[in-house]
Amino acid sequence: GAGVSQTPSNKVTEKGKYVELRCDPISGHTALYWYRQSLGQGPEFLIYFQGTGAADDSGLPNDRFFAVRPEGSVSTLKIQRTERGDSAVYLCASSRGQRGGTDTQYFGPGTRLTVL
Amino acid sequence: AQTVTQSQPEMSVQEAETVTLSCTYDTSESDYYLFWYKQPPSRQMILVIRQEAYKQQNATENRFSVNFQKAAKSFSLKISDSQLGDAAMYFCAYRSAPLYSGGGADGLTFGKGTHLIIQP
């Protein structure tokens, strides 16, 4: 596709429920990132994939959060037993995966998650 | 860990005027990359400009330029001839060089952002 797409654009769920957020990266991009942006804050890094493997998951806040990228393209962020504090915009980005600062991250429009 | 600080929650400028957004960062690394991203109400982050720490020359992209002061760990963004379409949240971001990230890419560390208002 032309850009990074994320679905759904908005998700409302109840405390304790399980949610999945999907990210479709730009075709051919090997690197994929997930960020969380709380109200009034900048995005916060969660996890980075290079191909199918999670190269860095140091930003995941706890074991309720998990992400997969089984075929090296689409990624799913999974949140178990959601809490009200999980409410935020979840942003996905992808890049070519080249080393160095020229490897630009292109962002999707995000999924706004609201936990009631 | 690296930190990025944007001390201006909001800035306002008249259309066609020049505005400067401030950003400071803290790091013990000698090589890294700095970015300014724009986030309009659509939520999609858009890269405005990028600076490599080993380059002394300040980056420029059309009306956007930076003032990179490595010793002071300062990275400000200047927008010349402000336009209504420039209104957005602006985020400063830091990224480690591969030397410090195990040879691979790395996630971005963002500041809290500056809300830029353009007055017609």
Side-chain angles (χ1 to χ4, degrees):
Chain A
V4 178
S5 62
Q6 293 186 246
T7 53
S9 57
N10 291 282
K11 175 71 176 178
V12 179
T13 191
E14 294 179 343
K15 180 176 178 294
K17 298 290 187 182
Y18 168 84
V19 297
E20 289 189 351
L21 311 180
R22 176 187 169 106
C23 173
D24 278 88
I26 294 172
S27 178
H29 280 191
T30 61
L32 186 146
Y33 306 79
W34 283 99
Y35 294 85
R36 178 170 69 176
Q37 186 174 19
S38 300
L39 189 63
Q41 304 292 318
E44 173 191 22
F45 169 75
L46 296 178
I47 187 170
Y48 151 57
F49 287 89
Q50 182 61 263
T52 60
D56 182 359
D57 65 357
S58 62
L60 294 178
N62 52 59
D63 61 5
R64 294 187 299 104
F65 289 75
F66 189 71
V68 296
R69 196 186 184 197
E71 298 178 357
S73 178
V74 171
S75 176
T76 304
L77 178 65
K78 307 181 181 191
I79 310 174
Q80 298 177 324
R81 304 183 303 281
T82 52
E83 300 177 356
R84 293 192 179 88
D86 298 335
S87 296
V89 174
Y90 289 81
L91 296 169
C92 176
S94 72
S95 72
R96 294 186 184 276
Q98 299 164 331
R99 297 183 180 186
T102 56
D103 190 46
T104 300
Q105 293 184 26
Y106 296 89
F107 283 80
T111 293
R112 182 180 297 280
L113 175 65
T114 303
V115 181
L116 301 177
Chain B
Q2 297 78 33
T3 59
V4 177
T5 302
Q6 294 180 250
S7 58
Q8 305 156 315
E10 186 173 280
M11 291 284 285
S12 181
V13 64
Q14 290 287 130
E15 193 176 2
E17 296 294 307
T18 295
V19 63
T20 298
L21 309 184
S22 301
C23 172
T24 59
Y25 57 94
D26 189 26
T27 184
S28 59
E29 299 170 350
S30 60
D31 195 16
Y32 47 86
Y33 308 99
L34 296 166
F35 306 84
W36 278 99
Y37 275 88
K38 170 184 177 182
Q39 187 179 42
S42 66
R43 298 198 305 240
Q44 193 148 5
M45 303 282 280
I46 302 165
L47 178 65
V48 174
I49 199 165
R50 165 180 47 227
Q51 175 79 42
E52 290 138 333
Y54 65 86
K55 290 186 176 180
Q56 293 186 342
Q57 187 173 5
N58 289 322
T60 299
E61 289 287 343
N62 300 314
R63 299 183 293 107
F64 299 87
S65 62
V66 299
N67 183 4
F68 174 48
Q69 301 290 329
K70 191 173 184 180
K73 296 180 182 176
S74 171
F75 182 61
S76 61
L77 174 70
K78 185 173 82 171
I79 305 173
S80 303
D81 185 25
S82 299
Q83 300 175 1
L84 295 177
D86 295 334
M89 286 293 295
Y90 285 80
F91 292 94
C92 179
Y94 175 105
R95 180 181 172 189
S96 297
L99 173 66
Y100 298 99
S101 61
D106 211 2
L108 297 166
T109 300
F110 286 89
K112 288 188 175 183
T114 297
H115 181 209
L116 179 63
I117 298 168
I118 311 295
Q119 296 183 352

